[in-house]
Amino acid sequence: MLFDSSIRKELSRSFGATLLVLITVVMTMMLIRMLGQAAKGVISPADVLLIMGFTVLGYLATILTLSLFVAMVSTLSRMYRDSEMAIWMSSGQGLLALLRPFLRFSWPILLAVLGLSVFAWPWSNNQVLQLRTQFEQRSDLDRIAPGEFQESADGSRVFFIDKEKLSAESASNVFIVENRPDQEIVTSAQSAHLAVHDGLRYAILENGQRVETQPSTQTTKSTQFARYQVLLKAESTTQTAMSVRALPTMALFSAAEAQHRGELAWRLSQPLLGLSLIFLALAITRVNPRVGKSSSLMLALLAFVVYYNLVNAGQSWVAAGRVNMWAFLIVLHGSVLLLGVGGLLMRHQQTTLGQLLGAWLGRGTAGKTGEAA
């Protein structure tokens, strides 16, 4: 009882500290990324914090899995380094005895990972998709902040209006640069307002100048105008189709498309990844004073990166139709689980792979000698 409680207390402290650090790092990275997208006009500046929160929630399953793995490796490393493992082993508690407290501590976290990957991941992606769609459905002039250069939704135009914005439907001192494959067009006007004709939205420019430049021939044509209209975007009431990542998990089970199967394989891989990492942490963690204190942690992080990249690669293979979803789940996670269980048993019995192969080859040679005799 004392053995289990002491292990779980150590795991909880390490897990909490690791989770706090990882969430802080991820939120900082997401904030920088969202601010960059807001500056480019991809998302609304008012929705930066909201989209960042939804994005972090979507990746919380991966954060929990990594935090659990790092907590187990760091706890085992400290126990080896402080000779605590030697004391427990001398009292009859072998390495295999650690499996019970590890599983008792991990099962609520793995259950949370399953819920996050199955329910929270598609819900958060759906919320982000809706916010992006609402912002993209706005016209180009609606996206412009006075006194700032702003790129259009398709990246072909750059707008600028004066800081003295007249209203939501009109502006003064408008400057537009449009890049086309064969020419560059610079348009300036003293004022502009919006108008809708036959379901199409136009920007009506007044009292301005239009300069067309062809880079291939280096020719320039300048035109003065009193009134000029620019097509912005057709009004549409149809909703944008949800991406595969935003689809509910139950819908993925009933779908037969390869992309849907790949997304389903990724979601089901998250709890399986966490379960396999429990055995892998017990199998690979050891402390060598000659190597350094952080050698086990670096090896664990490398193992996690490789394992997680294999999951992502398998998702792309399933989405491309190259691999069956169930075969991918069984082969990848089954192999890692067997590797972890095998390594744990070998370390518990204090044997090496060479000794096992030598014993197996010795039995085979003895059997052949007996048959020959």
Side-chain angles (χ1 to χ4, degrees):
M1 188 65 181
L2 178 62
F3 178 73
D4 289 6
S5 61
S6 62
I7 294 296
R8 283 188 277 114
K9 287 181 181 179
E10 182 76 17
L11 285 173
S12 62
R13 288 193 295 266
S14 181
F15 175 77
T18 305
L19 181 62
L20 181 62
V21 171
L22 288 180
I23 289 180
T24 303
V25 172
V26 172
M27 290 185 65
T28 303
M29 294 175 60
M30 289 299 171
L31 179 60
I32 297 174
R33 180 182 177 185
M34 295 300 112
L35 290 176
Q37 292 183 357
K40 295 179 180 179
V42 179
I43 62 176
S44 173
D47 298 333
V48 168
L49 294 179
L50 194 58
I51 294 178
M52 183 191 68
F54 287 136
T55 305
V56 173
L57 178 62
Y59 286 102
L60 189 57
T62 304
I63 297 174
L64 287 175
T65 303
L66 180 57
S67 300
L68 178 62
F69 187 48
V70 172
M72 291 186 294
V73 172
S74 60
T75 299
L76 288 172
S77 299
R78 188 205 61 79
M79 294 175 65
Y80 277 109
R81 187 171 59 251
D82 295 344
S83 301
E84 188 174 333
M85 282 298 299
I87 298 175
W88 286 116
M89 288 182 178
S90 63
S91 63
Q93 299 290 345
L95 189 61
L96 197 61
L98 291 170
L99 187 59
R100 181 179 178 181
F102 271 45
L103 291 176
R104 290 185 61 183
F105 175 80
S106 302
W107 76 263
I109 301 175
L110 296 180
L111 190 62
V113 169
L114 177 62
L116 288 170
S117 60
V118 172
F119 300 105
W121 169 258
W123 180 80
S124 62
N125 284 319
N126 188 25
Q127 298 301 314
V128 173
L129 182 63
Q130 289 181 3
L131 292 174
R132 289 177 179 267
T133 302
Q134 292 174 3
F135 184 69
E136 289 176 357
Q137 286 178 348
R138 299 169 59 188
S139 67
D140 289 336
L141 286 183
D142 292 336
R143 302 155 67 99
I144 302 174
E148 298 180 2
F149 288 92
Q150 187 67 54
E151 193 176 23
S152 63
D154 56 1
S156 62
R157 299 172 180 171
V158 176
F159 295 85
F160 178 84
I161 62 175
D162 198 2
K163 291 185 178 181
E164 298 179 359
K165 190 174 183 180
L166 301 179
S167 65
E169 298 294 328
S170 62
S172 62
N173 300 328
V174 180
F175 177 80
I176 304 174
V177 177
E178 182 178 0
N179 290 316
R180 296 181 180 179
D182 55 345
Q183 62 181 175
E184 181 184 71
I185 302 175
V186 179
T187 306
S188 59
Q190 293 182 359
S191 62
H193 65 276
L194 300 178
V196 179
H197 302 292
D198 299 330
L200 302 179
R201 200 170 192 182
Y202 295 89
I204 307 301
L205 308 180
E206 297 179 350
N207 301 324
Q209 183 182 14
R210 177 182 172 92
V211 179
E212 300 179 6
T213 303
Q214 294 183 352
S216 59
T217 60
Q218 297 297 324
T219 58
T220 302
K221 182 175 70 173
S222 178
T223 306
Q224 301 286 337
F225 60 84
R227 183 182 176 89
Y228 182 77
Q229 66 180 17
V230 179
L231 176 63
L232 296 178
K233 190 176 182 180
E235 294 288 340
S236 177
T237 59
T238 59
Q239 296 181 353
T240 304
M242 290 191 305
S243 64
V244 177
R245 295 195 303 177
L247 289 175
T249 304
M250 294 298 104
L252 295 178
F253 274 104
S254 58
E257 289 79 2
Q259 290 185 350
H260 296 167
R261 309 302 285 179
E263 175 65 21
L264 181 60
W266 187 88
R267 296 182 189 180
L268 295 179
S269 294
Q270 301 307 306
L272 296 176
L273 185 145
L275 179 62
S276 301
L277 288 177
I278 297 176
F279 296 90
L280 197 62
L282 290 169
I284 67 175
T285 304
R286 62 178 66 203
V287 174
N288 187 354
R290 298 180 179 179
V291 177
K293 298 181 179 180
S294 59
S295 58
S296 296
L297 183 59
M298 298 303 296
L299 179 61
L301 292 176
L302 178 61
F304 179 84
V305 170
V306 173
Y307 193 5
Y308 192 76
N309 286 334
L310 287 176
V311 171
N312 292 331
Q315 177 191 5
S316 62
W317 295 338
V318 174
R322 299 177 182 177
V323 182
N324 180 267
M325 183 189 72
W326 298 112
F328 158 69
L329 293 175
I330 293 173
V331 171
L332 177 60
H333 299 290
S335 300
V336 177
L337 185 60
L338 289 177
L339 181 64
V341 172
L344 176 60
L345 292 177
M346 290 172 56
R347 292 195 59 195
H348 177 73
Q349 298 174 359
Q350 296 183 355
T351 59
T352 62
L353 183 60
Q355 291 175 347
L356 290 178
L357 291 177
W360 181 76
L361 292 175
R363 287 197 298 268
T365 303
K368 292 182 179 179
T369 305
E371 291 177 1

PDB file of all heavy atoms in Angstrom, residues 16-52:
ATOM      1  N   GLY A  16       1.437  17.110 -12.956  1.00  0.00           N
ATOM      2  CA  GLY A  16       0.888  18.460 -12.875  1.00  0.00           C
ATOM      3  C   GLY A  16       1.871  19.518 -13.344  1.00  0.00           C
ATOM      4  O   GLY A  16       1.499  20.436 -14.091  1.00  0.00           O
ATOM      5  N   ALA A  17       3.123  19.390 -12.926  1.00  0.00           N
ATOM      6  CA  ALA A  17       4.127  20.373 -13.341  1.00  0.00           C
ATOM      7  C   ALA A  17       4.384  20.308 -14.842  1.00  0.00           C
ATOM      8  O   ALA A  17       4.481  21.340 -15.518  1.00  0.00           O
ATOM      9  CB  ALA A  17       5.424  20.131 -12.572  1.00  0.00           C
ATOM     10  N   THR A  18       4.478  19.094 -15.381  1.00  0.00           N
ATOM     11  CA  THR A  18       4.719  18.947 -16.822  1.00  0.00           C
ATOM     12  C   THR A  18       3.547  19.465 -17.635  1.00  0.00           C
ATOM     13  O   THR A  18       3.736  20.131 -18.667  1.00  0.00           O
ATOM     14  CB  THR A  18       4.973  17.471 -17.156  1.00  0.00           C
ATOM     15  OG1 THR A  18       6.036  16.965 -16.348  1.00  0.00           O
ATOM     16  CG2 THR A  18       5.343  17.308 -18.619  1.00  0.00           C
ATOM     17  N   LEU A  19       2.325  19.166 -17.187  1.00  0.00           N
ATOM     18  CA  LEU A  19       1.137  19.632 -17.906  1.00  0.00           C
ATOM     19  C   LEU A  19       1.070  21.150 -17.928  1.00  0.00           C
ATOM     20  O   LEU A  19       0.746  21.751 -18.967  1.00  0.00           O
ATOM     21  CB  LEU A  19      -0.114  19.054 -17.251  1.00  0.00           C
ATOM     22  CG  LEU A  19      -1.453  19.424 -17.898  1.00  0.00           C
ATOM     23  CD1 LEU A  19      -1.528  18.904 -19.322  1.00  0.00           C
ATOM     24  CD2 LEU A  19      -2.614  18.872 -17.062  1.00  0.00           C
ATOM     25  N   LEU A  20       1.387  21.788 -16.811  1.00  0.00           N
ATOM     26  CA  LEU A  20       1.358  23.251 -16.765  1.00  0.00           C
ATOM     27  C   LEU A  20       2.379  23.860 -17.717  1.00  0.00           C
ATOM     28  O   LEU A  20       2.074  24.828 -18.439  1.00  0.00           O
ATOM     29  CB  LEU A  20       1.623  23.717 -15.335  1.00  0.00           C
ATOM     30  CG  LEU A  20       1.612  25.233 -15.095  1.00  0.00           C
ATOM     31  CD1 LEU A  20       0.243  25.810 -15.422  1.00  0.00           C
ATOM     32  CD2 LEU A  20       1.985  25.545 -13.649  1.00  0.00           C
ATOM     33  N   VAL A  21       3.574  23.292 -17.759  1.00  0.00           N
ATOM     34  CA  VAL A  21       4.613  23.820 -18.651  1.00  0.00           C
ATOM     35  C   VAL A  21       4.219  23.631 -20.116  1.00  0.00           C
ATOM     36  O   VAL A  21       4.345  24.556 -20.936  1.00  0.00           O
ATOM     37  CB  VAL A  21       5.964  23.133 -18.347  1.00  0.00           C
ATOM     38  CG1 VAL A  21       6.999  23.507 -19.399  1.00  0.00           C
ATOM     39  CG2 VAL A  21       6.459  23.520 -16.970  1.00  0.00           C
ATOM     40  N   LEU A  22       3.721  22.445 -20.474  1.00  0.00           N
ATOM     41  CA  LEU A  22       3.364  22.180 -21.870  1.00  0.00           C
ATOM     42  C   LEU A  22       2.205  23.049 -22.331  1.00  0.00           C
ATOM     43  O   LEU A  22       2.211  23.556 -23.465  1.00  0.00           O
ATOM     44  CB  LEU A  22       3.021  20.699 -22.038  1.00  0.00           C
ATOM     45  CG  LEU A  22       4.199  19.722 -21.967  1.00  0.00           C
ATOM     46  CD1 LEU A  22       3.719  18.294 -22.138  1.00  0.00           C
ATOM     47  CD2 LEU A  22       5.247  20.050 -23.019  1.00  0.00           C
ATOM     48  N   ILE A  23       1.199  23.234 -21.484  1.00  0.00           N
ATOM     49  CA  ILE A  23       0.067  24.080 -21.870  1.00  0.00           C
ATOM     50  C   ILE A  23       0.530  25.524 -22.066  1.00  0.00           C
ATOM     51  O   ILE A  23       0.098  26.205 -23.012  1.00  0.00           O
ATOM     52  CB  ILE A  23      -1.053  23.989 -20.816  1.00  0.00           C
ATOM     53  CG1 ILE A  23      -1.722  22.620 -20.879  1.00  0.00           C
ATOM     54  CG2 ILE A  23      -2.085  25.083 -21.018  1.00  0.00           C
ATOM     55  CD1 ILE A  23      -2.845  22.440 -19.883  1.00  0.00           C
ATOM     56  N   THR A  24       1.424  25.996 -21.197  1.00  0.00           N
ATOM     57  CA  THR A  24       1.941  27.357 -21.354  1.00  0.00           C
ATOM     58  C   THR A  24       2.709  27.512 -22.663  1.00  0.00           C
ATOM     59  O   THR A  24       2.540  28.508 -23.385  1.00  0.00           O
ATOM     60  CB  THR A  24       2.847  27.706 -20.168  1.00  0.00           C
ATOM     61  OG1 THR A  24       2.121  27.551 -18.946  1.00  0.00           O
ATOM     62  CG2 THR A  24       3.347  29.137 -20.271  1.00  0.00           C
ATOM     63  N   VAL A  25       3.535  26.527 -22.990  1.00  0.00           N
ATOM     64  CA  VAL A  25       4.315  26.591 -24.230  1.00  0.00           C
ATOM     65  C   VAL A  25       3.390  26.546 -25.448  1.00  0.00           C
ATOM     66  O   VAL A  25       3.540  27.328 -26.397  1.00  0.00           O
ATOM     67  CB  VAL A  25       5.332  25.440 -24.273  1.00  0.00           C
ATOM     68  CG1 VAL A  25       6.005  25.366 -25.636  1.00  0.00           C
ATOM     69  CG2 VAL A  25       6.381  25.615 -23.190  1.00  0.00           C
ATOM     70  N   VAL A  26       2.407  25.647 -25.429  1.00  0.00           N
ATOM     71  CA  VAL A  26       1.496  25.520 -26.563  1.00  0.00           C
ATOM     72  C   VAL A  26       0.651  26.782 -26.732  1.00  0.00           C
ATOM     73  O   VAL A  26       0.440  27.253 -27.855  1.00  0.00           O
ATOM     74  CB  VAL A  26       0.603  24.272 -26.387  1.00  0.00           C
ATOM     75  CG1 VAL A  26      -0.488  24.236 -27.450  1.00  0.00           C
ATOM     76  CG2 VAL A  26       1.438  23.008 -26.466  1.00  0.00           C
ATOM     77  N   MET A  27       0.161  27.345 -25.630  1.00  0.00           N
ATOM     78  CA  MET A  27      -0.635  28.570 -25.726  1.00  0.00           C
ATOM     79  C   MET A  27       0.188  29.727 -26.264  1.00  0.00           C
ATOM     80  O   MET A  27      -0.317  30.539 -27.053  1.00  0.00           O
ATOM     81  CB  MET A  27      -1.210  28.907 -24.352  1.00  0.00           C
ATOM     82  CG  MET A  27      -2.292  27.961 -23.866  1.00  0.00           C
ATOM     83  SD  MET A  27      -3.035  28.478 -22.309  1.00  0.00           S
ATOM     84  CE  MET A  27      -3.831  30.006 -22.803  1.00  0.00           C
ATOM     85  N   THR A  28       1.449  29.812 -25.870  1.00  0.00           N
ATOM     86  CA  THR A  28       2.314  30.877 -26.393  1.00  0.00           C
ATOM     87  C   THR A  28       2.538  30.716 -27.888  1.00  0.00           C
ATOM     88  O   THR A  28       2.453  31.692 -28.658  1.00  0.00           O
ATOM     89  CB  THR A  28       3.654  30.870 -25.652  1.00  0.00           C
ATOM     90  OG1 THR A  28       3.434  31.007 -24.246  1.00  0.00           O
ATOM     91  CG2 THR A  28       4.538  32.006 -26.129  1.00  0.00           C
ATOM     92  N   MET A  29       2.812  29.480 -28.314  1.00  0.00           N
ATOM     93  CA  MET A  29       3.021  29.239 -29.742  1.00  0.00           C
ATOM     94  C   MET A  29       1.750  29.514 -30.537  1.00  0.00           C
ATOM     95  O   MET A  29       1.795  30.119 -31.622  1.00  0.00           O
ATOM     96  CB  MET A  29       3.472  27.795 -29.950  1.00  0.00           C
ATOM     97  CG  MET A  29       4.840  27.470 -29.368  1.00  0.00           C
ATOM     98  SD  MET A  29       5.264  25.721 -29.502  1.00  0.00           S
ATOM     99  CE  MET A  29       5.208  25.508 -31.287  1.00  0.00           C
ATOM    100  N   MET A  30       0.607  29.092 -30.016  1.00  0.00           N
ATOM    101  CA  MET A  30      -0.659  29.322 -30.706  1.00  0.00           C
ATOM    102  C   MET A  30      -1.002  30.807 -30.768  1.00  0.00           C
ATOM    103  O   MET A  30      -1.540  31.289 -31.767  1.00  0.00           O
ATOM    104  CB  MET A  30      -1.780  28.552 -30.025  1.00  0.00           C
ATOM    105  CG  MET A  30      -1.710  27.060 -30.222  1.00  0.00           C
ATOM    106  SD  MET A  30      -1.816  26.621 -31.984  1.00  0.00           S
ATOM    107  CE  MET A  30      -1.444  24.856 -31.899  1.00  0.00           C
ATOM    108  N   LEU A  31      -0.683  31.546 -29.696  1.00  0.00           N
ATOM    109  CA  LEU A  31      -0.960  32.982 -29.708  1.00  0.00           C
ATOM    110  C   LEU A  31      -0.149  33.687 -30.782  1.00  0.00           C
ATOM    111  O   LEU A  31      -0.672  34.542 -31.520  1.00  0.00           O
ATOM    112  CB  LEU A  31      -0.658  33.569 -28.333  1.00  0.00           C
ATOM    113  CG  LEU A  31      -0.877  35.078 -28.183  1.00  0.00           C
ATOM    114  CD1 LEU A  31      -2.325  35.445 -28.463  1.00  0.00           C
ATOM    115  CD2 LEU A  31      -0.472  35.545 -26.788  1.00  0.00           C
ATOM    116  N   ILE A  32       1.130  33.335 -30.899  1.00  0.00           N
ATOM    117  CA  ILE A  32       1.960  33.935 -31.952  1.00  0.00           C
ATOM    118  C   ILE A  32       1.427  33.569 -33.332  1.00  0.00           C
ATOM    119  O   ILE A  32       1.359  34.416 -34.241  1.00  0.00           O
ATOM    120  CB  ILE A  32       3.419  33.476 -31.776  1.00  0.00           C
ATOM    121  CG1 ILE A  32       3.987  33.976 -30.443  1.00  0.00           C
ATOM    122  CG2 ILE A  32       4.285  33.953 -32.939  1.00  0.00           C
ATOM    123  CD1 ILE A  32       5.364  33.445 -30.118  1.00  0.00           C
ATOM    124  N   ARG A  33       1.019  32.318 -33.500  1.00  0.00           N
ATOM    125  CA  ARG A  33       0.492  31.883 -34.795  1.00  0.00           C
ATOM    126  C   ARG A  33      -0.819  32.587 -35.124  1.00  0.00           C
ATOM    127  O   ARG A  33      -1.023  33.031 -36.262  1.00  0.00           O
ATOM    128  CB  ARG A  33       0.286  30.378 -34.756  1.00  0.00           C
ATOM    129  CG  ARG A  33      -0.266  29.793 -36.043  1.00  0.00           C
ATOM    130  CD  ARG A  33      -0.480  28.296 -35.893  1.00  0.00           C
ATOM    131  NE  ARG A  33      -1.078  27.722 -37.088  1.00  0.00           N
ATOM    132  CZ  ARG A  33      -1.463  26.454 -37.185  1.00  0.00           C
ATOM    133  NH1 ARG A  33      -1.274  25.633 -36.158  1.00  0.00           N
ATOM    134  NH2 ARG A  33      -2.002  26.004 -38.292  1.00  0.00           N
ATOM    135  N   MET A  34      -1.714  32.721 -34.144  1.00  0.00           N
ATOM    136  CA  MET A  34      -2.997  33.376 -34.394  1.00  0.00           C
ATOM    137  C   MET A  34      -2.821  34.856 -34.695  1.00  0.00           C
ATOM    138  O   MET A  34      -3.524  35.421 -35.536  1.00  0.00           O
ATOM    139  CB  MET A  34      -3.915  33.197 -33.187  1.00  0.00           C
ATOM    140  CG  MET A  34      -4.338  31.770 -32.895  1.00  0.00           C
ATOM    141  SD  MET A  34      -5.244  30.985 -34.252  1.00  0.00           S
ATOM    142  CE  MET A  34      -4.049  29.749 -34.768  1.00  0.00           C
ATOM    143  N   LEU A  35      -1.892  35.507 -33.993  1.00  0.00           N
ATOM    144  CA  LEU A  35      -1.640  36.920 -34.276  1.00  0.00           C
ATOM    145  C   LEU A  35      -1.102  37.109 -35.691  1.00  0.00           C
ATOM    146  O   LEU A  35      -1.453  38.079 -36.377  1.00  0.00           O
ATOM    147  CB  LEU A  35      -0.650  37.491 -33.251  1.00  0.00           C
ATOM    148  CG  LEU A  35      -1.178  37.647 -31.811  1.00  0.00           C
ATOM    149  CD1 LEU A  35      -0.061  38.120 -30.892  1.00  0.00           C
ATOM    150  CD2 LEU A  35      -2.352  38.615 -31.778  1.00  0.00           C
ATOM    151  N   GLY A  36      -0.257  36.177 -36.135  1.00  0.00           N
ATOM    152  CA  GLY A  36       0.227  36.250 -37.513  1.00  0.00           C
ATOM    153  C   GLY A  36      -0.889  36.069 -38.530  1.00  0.00           C
ATOM    154  O   GLY A  36      -0.942  36.778 -39.545  1.00  0.00           O
ATOM    155  N   GLN A  37      -1.795  35.134 -38.283  1.00  0.00           N
ATOM    156  CA  GLN A  37      -2.917  34.929 -39.188  1.00  0.00           C
ATOM    157  C   GLN A  37      -3.879  36.117 -39.173  1.00  0.00           C
ATOM    158  O   GLN A  37      -4.444  36.470 -40.205  1.00  0.00           O
ATOM    159  CB  GLN A  37      -3.651  33.644 -38.818  1.00  0.00           C
ATOM    160  CG  GLN A  37      -2.850  32.386 -39.066  1.00  0.00           C
ATOM    161  CD  GLN A  37      -3.633  31.130 -38.762  1.00  0.00           C
ATOM    162  OE1 GLN A  37      -4.779  31.180 -38.315  1.00  0.00           O
ATOM    163  NE2 GLN A  37      -3.019  29.980 -38.987  1.00  0.00           N
ATOM    164  N   ALA A  38      -4.048  36.736 -37.997  1.00  0.00           N
ATOM    165  CA  ALA A  38      -4.907  37.918 -37.935  1.00  0.00           C
ATOM    166  C   ALA A  38      -4.293  39.080 -38.704  1.00  0.00           C
ATOM    167  O   ALA A  38      -5.005  39.858 -39.353  1.00  0.00           O
ATOM    168  CB  ALA A  38      -5.139  38.307 -36.478  1.00  0.00           C
ATOM    169  N   ALA A  39      -2.965  39.195 -38.645  1.00  0.00           N
ATOM    170  CA  ALA A  39      -2.298  40.265 -39.386  1.00  0.00           C
ATOM    171  C   ALA A  39      -2.419  40.060 -40.897  1.00  0.00           C
ATOM    172  O   ALA A  39      -2.473  41.030 -41.661  1.00  0.00           O
ATOM    173  CB  ALA A  39      -0.828  40.344 -38.984  1.00  0.00           C
ATOM    174  N   LYS A  40      -2.480  38.806 -41.332  1.00  0.00           N
ATOM    175  CA  LYS A  40      -2.623  38.512 -42.759  1.00  0.00           C
ATOM    176  C   LYS A  40      -4.070  38.547 -43.224  1.00  0.00           C
ATOM    177  O   LYS A  40      -4.336  38.399 -44.417  1.00  0.00           O
ATOM    178  CB  LYS A  40      -2.037  37.135 -43.068  1.00  0.00           C
ATOM    179  CG  LYS A  40      -0.534  37.043 -42.858  1.00  0.00           C
ATOM    180  CD  LYS A  40      -0.023  35.649 -43.167  1.00  0.00           C
ATOM    181  CE  LYS A  40       1.472  35.537 -42.955  1.00  0.00           C
ATOM    182  NZ  LYS A  40       1.969  34.158 -43.225  1.00  0.00           N
ATOM    183  N   GLY A  41      -5.010  38.708 -42.306  1.00  0.00           N
ATOM    184  CA  GLY A  41      -6.413  38.747 -42.689  1.00  0.00           C
ATOM    185  C   GLY A  41      -7.066  37.400 -42.811  1.00  0.00           C
ATOM    186  O   GLY A  41      -8.148  37.282 -43.382  1.00  0.00           O
ATOM    187  N   VAL A  42      -6.455  36.348 -42.282  1.00  0.00           N
ATOM    188  CA  VAL A  42      -7.035  35.017 -42.354  1.00  0.00           C
ATOM    189  C   VAL A  42      -8.144  34.848 -41.316  1.00  0.00           C
ATOM    190  O   VAL A  42      -9.170  34.226 -41.580  1.00  0.00           O
ATOM    191  CB  VAL A  42      -5.947  33.936 -42.160  1.00  0.00           C
ATOM    192  CG1 VAL A  42      -6.541  32.538 -42.209  1.00  0.00           C
ATOM    193  CG2 VAL A  42      -4.876  34.091 -43.230  1.00  0.00           C
ATOM    194  N   ILE A  43      -7.946  35.383 -40.117  1.00  0.00           N
ATOM    195  CA  ILE A  43      -8.938  35.324 -39.063  1.00  0.00           C
ATOM    196  C   ILE A  43      -9.208  36.725 -38.553  1.00  0.00           C
ATOM    197  O   ILE A  43      -8.423  37.655 -38.788  1.00  0.00           O
ATOM    198  CB  ILE A  43      -8.490  34.413 -37.899  1.00  0.00           C
ATOM    199  CG1 ILE A  43      -7.215  34.954 -37.259  1.00  0.00           C
ATOM    200  CG2 ILE A  43      -8.290  32.988 -38.377  1.00  0.00           C
ATOM    201  CD1 ILE A  43      -6.766  34.178 -36.045  1.00  0.00           C
ATOM    202  N   SER A  44     -10.299  36.877 -37.844  1.00  0.00           N
ATOM    203  CA  SER A  44     -10.645  38.186 -37.296  1.00  0.00           C
ATOM    204  C   SER A  44      -9.794  38.483 -36.068  1.00  0.00           C
ATOM    205  O   SER A  44      -9.601  37.608 -35.218  1.00  0.00           O
ATOM    206  CB  SER A  44     -12.124  38.208 -36.916  1.00  0.00           C
ATOM    207  OG  SER A  44     -12.449  39.412 -36.230  1.00  0.00           O
ATOM    208  N   PRO A  45      -9.264  39.694 -35.934  1.00  0.00           N
ATOM    209  CA  PRO A  45      -8.487  40.027 -34.726  1.00  0.00           C
ATOM    210  C   PRO A  45      -9.289  39.887 -33.441  1.00  0.00           C
ATOM    211  O   PRO A  45      -8.727  39.613 -32.384  1.00  0.00           O
ATOM    212  CB  PRO A  45      -8.063  41.480 -34.975  1.00  0.00           C
ATOM    213  CG  PRO A  45      -8.100  41.646 -36.458  1.00  0.00           C
ATOM    214  CD  PRO A  45      -9.229  40.774 -36.937  1.00  0.00           C
ATOM    215  N   ALA A  46     -10.608  40.068 -33.522  1.00  0.00           N
ATOM    216  CA  ALA A  46     -11.439  39.945 -32.332  1.00  0.00           C
ATOM    217  C   ALA A  46     -11.589  38.499 -31.873  1.00  0.00           C
ATOM    218  O   ALA A  46     -11.975  38.255 -30.728  1.00  0.00           O
ATOM    219  CB  ALA A  46     -12.821  40.549 -32.597  1.00  0.00           C
ATOM    220  N   ASP A  47     -11.308  37.545 -32.756  1.00  0.00           N
ATOM    221  CA  ASP A  47     -11.492  36.124 -32.439  1.00  0.00           C
ATOM    222  C   ASP A  47     -10.176  35.416 -32.139  1.00  0.00           C
ATOM    223  O   ASP A  47     -10.150  34.183 -32.089  1.00  0.00           O
ATOM    224  CB  ASP A  47     -12.190  35.403 -33.600  1.00  0.00           C
ATOM    225  CG  ASP A  47     -13.577  35.961 -33.872  1.00  0.00           C
ATOM    226  OD1 ASP A  47     -14.184  36.480 -32.920  1.00  0.00           O
ATOM    227  OD2 ASP A  47     -14.041  35.871 -35.027  1.00  0.00           O
ATOM    228  N   VAL A  48      -9.090  36.157 -31.943  1.00  0.00           N
ATOM    229  CA  VAL A  48      -7.781  35.529 -31.754  1.00  0.00           C
ATOM    230  C   VAL A  48      -7.767  34.648 -30.513  1.00  0.00           C
ATOM    231  O   VAL A  48      -7.397  33.465 -30.559  1.00  0.00           O
ATOM    232  CB  VAL A  48      -6.676  36.604 -31.691  1.00  0.00           C
ATOM    233  CG1 VAL A  48      -5.369  35.989 -31.191  1.00  0.00           C
ATOM    234  CG2 VAL A  48      -6.460  37.223 -33.058  1.00  0.00           C
ATOM    235  N   LEU A  49      -8.178  35.205 -29.374  1.00  0.00           N
ATOM    236  CA  LEU A  49      -8.147  34.442 -28.126  1.00  0.00           C
ATOM    237  C   LEU A  49      -9.134  33.281 -28.155  1.00  0.00           C
ATOM    238  O   LEU A  49      -8.858  32.200 -27.618  1.00  0.00           O
ATOM    239  CB  LEU A  49      -8.449  35.361 -26.944  1.00  0.00           C
ATOM    240  CG  LEU A  49      -7.411  36.450 -26.663  1.00  0.00           C
ATOM    241  CD1 LEU A  49      -7.837  37.301 -25.475  1.00  0.00           C
ATOM    242  CD2 LEU A  49      -6.043  35.835 -26.393  1.00  0.00           C
ATOM    243  N   LEU A  50     -10.279  33.485 -28.789  1.00  0.00           N
ATOM    244  CA  LEU A  50     -11.277  32.420 -28.868  1.00  0.00           C
ATOM    245  C   LEU A  50     -10.777  31.256 -29.712  1.00  0.00           C
ATOM    246  O   LEU A  50     -10.892  30.080 -29.326  1.00  0.00           O
ATOM    247  CB  LEU A  50     -12.581  32.980 -29.437  1.00  0.00           C
ATOM    248  CG  LEU A  50     -13.828  32.111 -29.298  1.00  0.00           C
ATOM    249  CD1 LEU A  50     -14.106  31.804 -27.837  1.00  0.00           C
ATOM    250  CD2 LEU A  50     -15.023  32.791 -29.943  1.00  0.00           C
ATOM    251  N   ILE A  51     -10.202  31.565 -30.872  1.00  0.00           N
ATOM    252  CA  ILE A  51      -9.668  30.506 -31.729  1.00  0.00           C
ATOM    253  C   ILE A  51      -8.480  29.816 -31.070  1.00  0.00           C
ATOM    254  O   ILE A  51      -8.320  28.596 -31.168  1.00  0.00           O
ATOM    255  CB  ILE A  51      -9.275  31.093 -33.102  1.00  0.00           C
ATOM    256  CG1 ILE A  51     -10.516  31.582 -33.842  1.00  0.00           C
ATOM    257  CG2 ILE A  51      -8.519  30.070 -33.946  1.00  0.00           C
ATOM    258  CD1 ILE A  51     -10.227  32.214 -35.185  1.00  0.00           C
ATOM    259  N   MET A  52      -7.648  30.580 -30.361  1.00  0.00           N
ATOM    260  CA  MET A  52      -6.527  29.980 -29.653  1.00  0.00           C
ATOM    261  C   MET A  52      -7.014  29.008 -28.585  1.00  0.00           C
ATOM    262  O   MET A  52      -6.470  27.905 -28.423  1.00  0.00           O
ATOM    263  CB  MET A  52      -5.670  31.066 -29.012  1.00  0.00           C
ATOM    264  CG  MET A  52      -4.434  30.539 -28.306  1.00  0.00           C
ATOM    265  SD  MET A  52      -3.601  31.784 -27.286  1.00  0.00           S
ATOM    266  CE  MET A  52      -4.829  32.015 -25.999  1.00  0.00           C
TER     267      MET A  52
END
